[in-house]
Amino acid sequence: MAAHPGASASTEAFTRIHDSWLTSALGVDSWIVNSSSPSEGLLTPNLSQPVPAPAFLTAKVPAHDIQTVRQLAQLGFYLVDTALTLQLKSHLVSGSVPRSSDESPEWEVSDATPEDADAVGQIAGRALTKSRFHFDPNIRPEVASTVKSKWAKGLALGHRGIGCRVVRDANGIQGFLGIVEGEDGEGVFVIDLIAVHPEVQGLGVGTALVCDFLGLAQANGALPQVGTQAANTSAVRFYERLGFTLTKATYVMHAHLSMEEPL
């Protein structure tokens, strides 16, 4: 991987790990880039070694680490997203799910089944339009939506995470929420992905899903967390109304190698 002319950043400062799932979803070799350490450098190729092109690379940097952001920018990376992590301090969950009006239905939540995967994927593809893939001008919107759809289907099929919950009515599934464990393992439940069908947004589906998630976290003695984007201000306000508070901000950076046209 070549740096921009005049760049002083060292490619040896970063390691790369192949992302097989994203490679399959995007149709191009995809890599996760991390700051290297001596132990990592012995096990993982660093960026001074040629990256087969074409390729897509992702790096996530704590928002306070501007030096690493500058180094990555010199190597051809650019900022696409600021990921926010929010956490609920209290494990106590209200027994009632707030609704927008008396006419709004009471949404019932249950486990997703493999038969629900297509419906879950379709909702994700339609409703999730604010992600690092959608924000990247070098990724076409339909490709970004396909990534989120495949991601959601994996949750419903049990290929990813520790659970997927769905809301359904007479017309079928109207929303879903996927759960993964925190990076530190047990003791933290994270909302990995949540989406509501566009036609029923604002009627309490999302709130029902999140309150159900909080109940599951409480029952398992786990700390609830969620991730969203700084640009998705409506989601940030939604989680804050439910008691979540911001705990971490992370810059997400992308690089595309030898791609003449957007993915």
Side-chain angles (χ1 to χ4, degrees):
M1 183 174 184
H4 291 321
S8 59
S10 170
T11 54
E12 296 182 357
F14 302 97
T15 58
R16 54 183 169 90
I17 301 172
H18 192 253
D19 187 331
S20 57
W21 185 89
L22 194 54
T23 294
S24 174
L26 288 176
V28 64
D29 254 347
S30 301
W31 300 83
I32 299 170
V33 174
N34 298 303
S35 296
S36 64
S37 68
S39 59
E40 289 173 335
L42 295 174
L43 300 173
T44 312
N46 58 43
L47 292 184
S48 63
Q49 299 169 288
V51 180
F56 169 72
L57 299 93
T58 298
K60 297 183 179 181
V61 186
H64 65 270
D65 190 357
I66 302 303
Q67 180 61 30
T68 297
V69 171
R70 292 183 62 187
Q71 291 177 328
L72 287 167
Q74 291 171 341
L75 294 172
F77 286 78
Y78 53 90
L79 182 67
V80 294
D81 183 17
T82 303
L84 304 179
T85 300
L86 297 97
Q87 184 170 290
L88 193 67
K89 293 182 179 180
S90 173
H91 290 196
L92 299 178
V93 181
S94 171
S96 62
V97 177
R99 295 179 288 150
S100 58
S101 72
D102 291 340
E103 289 73 32
S104 299
E106 284 199 35
W107 303 102
E108 294 187 1
V109 188
S110 60
D111 285 326
T113 68
E115 290 73 25
D116 298 329
D118 286 341
V120 165
Q122 289 172 6
I123 291 173
R126 289 189 59 185
L128 298 176
T129 58
K130 295 179 180 179
S131 73
R132 64 186 179 99
F133 303 104
H134 290 87
F135 296 153
D136 190 331
N138 287 312
I139 298 178
R140 289 175 287 122
E142 60 269 29
V143 173
S145 293
T146 296
V147 170
K148 304 306 282 189
S149 179
K150 290 182 176 179
W151 186 344
K153 288 180 69 173
L155 288 163
L157 290 169
H159 298 164
R160 174 182 175 86
I162 57 176
C164 183
R165 304 284 282 173
V166 295
V167 164
R168 66 180 89 233
D169 62 13
N171 296 315
I173 293 174
Q174 301 295 346
F176 73 91
L177 182 151
I179 306 169
V180 297
E181 286 188 317
E183 294 180 356
D184 296 331
E186 297 181 0
V188 178
F189 278 11
V190 182
I191 299 176
D192 186 49
L193 209 60
I194 179 173
V196 174
H197 195 291
E199 293 180 1
V200 296
Q201 289 179 3
L203 297 180
V205 178
T207 302
L209 284 164
V210 174
C211 287
D212 173 80
F213 162 75
L214 296 179
L216 292 173
Q218 181 182 16
N220 287 274
L223 192 66
Q225 283 187 356
V226 63
T228 190
Q229 295 76 35
N232 194 352
T233 53
S234 60
V236 174
R237 290 195 298 270
F238 170 74
Y239 290 119
E240 287 178 337
R241 285 198 300 269
L242 292 176
F244 286 81
T245 56
L246 180 65
T247 60
K248 184 170 66 174
T250 304
Y251 292 133
V252 182
M253 306 182 72
H254 287 176
H256 299 255
L257 300 187
S258 302
M259 295 184 195
E260 296 180 359
E261 299 180 356
L263 287 172

